[in-house]
Amino acid sequence: VIIYFVVYDLLPVRFPWHFPERTVKAHRKWLDVICRFSGILCDSRSAAMDFQLWLKENNKKVADEFDIQWFHCGGDFENSLPTSGLPRQTDRIQEKIRNSITFLMVGTLEARKAHKQVLDAFEILWKQGKDVVLIIVGKEGWNMSQLVDRINEHDELGKRLFWLNRVSDEYLDKIYTVSTVLLHASEGEGFGLPVLESVKYEKPLILRDIPVFREIAGESAFYFSGLSPEEMADKIAEWLVLFEKGV
């Protein structure tokens, strides 16, 4: 019997400080187990290369015929049994987004996705007089209660800051449609599905400069690096200048 496993990423072993200890231990054990079978399928070339590197770093022995392949994910809402439902404030939020330069973040609130750095950066931009909107779509992940409290108590909440905790595919479709640009600041991803979704909506991309985003977006994105709020604020300000020039 030929048995393959799908490996979406090695994030718990690459960024253990961003995950619960039990998750890190379980992921390491799982990686050890799947090495005994026929092969793996990864959701990106970058993830496949990372797995190969992990094998080498840890002196893992696999069978000579152990097969490592990769594929790319899809983002077709219409043909994937999309969820539906719109909250009562949908029209008000859409109108605010439509009439503003809106930076959209999509994904579960996790430390590695750098929501804190982004919020810090936007506070700098707001103090500088930049009238921009940050909208965060995603449920609360682990160890994020402090950030969630900060968002819920923020002076800009409902004005230039929005957090949509749980949304349907129907609602997300509307948010993508009226947003200005996708901002994906994650320090590590196996793929990065919001990048592909944003391409479908022909939205500009502001992405952290990590290998998988280069693989997916190529030269069709504005890239940044650095982990400080100041660095991110400077890069967003730089993007705004380019956006105003239409380039």
Side-chain angles (χ1 to χ4, degrees):
V1 177
I2 297 174
I3 299 176
Y4 279 73
F5 286 81
V6 176
V7 178
Y8 287 102
D9 57 66
L10 281 77
L11 295 174
V13 299
R14 292 306 191 193
F15 300 92
W17 52 90
H18 286 331
F19 290 86
E21 185 178 355
R22 65 183 183 278
T23 300
V24 177
K25 290 180 178 179
H27 196 72
R28 285 175 177 157
K29 185 176 181 180
W30 179 73
L31 289 173
D32 287 336
V33 169
I34 67 176
C35 288
R36 306 172 194 168
F37 291 86
S38 308
I40 64 167
L41 301 170
C42 296
D43 59 339
S44 66
R45 182 190 293 111
S46 298
M49 293 174 64
D50 195 26
F51 184 87
Q52 290 174 316
L53 181 60
W54 177 82
L55 289 176
K56 183 177 180 180
E57 290 172 346
N58 293 275
N59 295 315
K60 296 295 181 181
K61 303 299 181 183
V62 294
D64 292 340
E65 62 273 18
F66 189 85
D67 191 23
I68 299 176
Q69 301 290 341
W70 61 272
F71 61 91
H72 277 169
C73 298
D76 187 350
F77 284 143
E78 289 81 4
N79 293 305
S80 60
L81 298 177
T83 57
S84 61
L86 301 173
R88 283 180 294 180
Q89 70 270 29
T90 298
D91 291 341
R92 181 183 69 83
I93 294 176
Q94 274 195 283
E95 192 65 22
K96 177 65 177 178
I97 296 172
R98 183 181 292 109
N99 295 318
S100 306
I101 298 177
T102 302
F103 294 75
L104 173 63
M105 297 183 74
V106 178
T108 303
L109 271 66
E110 300 177 31
R112 68 178 171 89
K113 291 184 182 288
H115 291 88
K116 181 181 182 301
Q117 182 193 13
V118 172
L119 183 54
D120 289 343
F122 270 78
E123 288 180 347
I124 294 173
L125 294 169
W126 290 328
K127 287 179 181 178
Q128 293 174 348
K130 301 284 195 305
D131 190 19
V132 291
V133 171
L134 173 62
I135 180 164
I136 300 169
V137 177
K139 66 180 180 180
E140 179 182 351
W142 51 87
N143 299 330
M144 297 301 291
S145 58
Q146 188 173 357
L147 178 64
V148 167
D149 290 343
R150 179 181 168 192
I151 292 173
N152 285 330
E153 297 169 4
H154 205 285
D155 290 340
E156 292 289 348
L157 187 64
K159 302 171 187 174
R160 293 187 291 189
L161 171 64
F162 295 88
W163 175 36
L164 307 182
N165 187 359
R166 295 178 184 273
V167 303
S168 65
D169 291 325
E170 180 186 8
Y171 193 14
L172 182 58
D173 174 81
K174 292 181 179 295
I175 297 298
Y176 268 124
T177 300
V178 296
S179 295
T180 308
V181 56
L182 178 81
L183 172 58
H184 208 328
S186 183
E187 296 174 36
E189 290 288 339
F191 182 73
L193 189 57
V195 176
L196 190 68
E197 293 172 346
S198 295
V199 171
K200 174 188 172 185
Y201 293 93
E202 299 183 343
K203 298 299 177 180
L205 303 167
I206 301 177
L207 308 176
R208 189 178 298 279
D209 196 353
I210 58 177
V212 71
F213 288 164
R214 288 280 183 177
E215 175 185 340
I216 299 168
E219 298 303 313
S220 301
F222 179 88
Y223 293 96
F224 70 92
S225 55
L227 297 172
S228 74
E230 292 77 14
E231 289 173 296
M232 179 172 286
D234 288 345
K235 295 302 287 187
I236 291 175
E238 182 182 337
W239 182 88
L240 284 168
V241 172
L242 296 173
F243 178 70
E244 289 168 3
K245 292 180 179 178
V247 294

